[in-house]
Amino acid sequence: MHAAVAEKEHERIAQRTRKALAAAKARGQKLGNAGIGEARKAEADVHAEYFRSII
């Protein structure tokens, strides 16, 4: 019985989360952490330059 209640609550939380993310996206808000992507790109560029010198 507890498992059924927990599963239903999980579904409700997931639905609320999806609605909130859709609303934020509709407002034009960028989702995620854009700074991480830029940091990883910069790090990848450094590694790529190192490997270019080897190859």
Side-chain angles (χ1 to χ4, degrees), residues 6-51:
E7 187 175 335
K8 189 66 174 171
E9 181 62 19
H10 172 74
E11 289 173 12
R12 281 186 256 168
I13 291 170
Q15 184 180 30
R16 284 195 309 265
T17 301
R18 283 191 299 270
K19 283 184 179 181
L21 289 172
K25 194 171 183 180
R27 289 191 306 269
Q29 189 172 0
K30 289 188 178 182
L31 304 176
N33 190 343
I36 289 177
E38 290 300 317
R40 285 187 179 163
K41 182 182 180 313
E43 186 177 339
D45 289 342
V46 169
H47 288 295
E49 191 60 39
Y50 170 75
F51 285 111

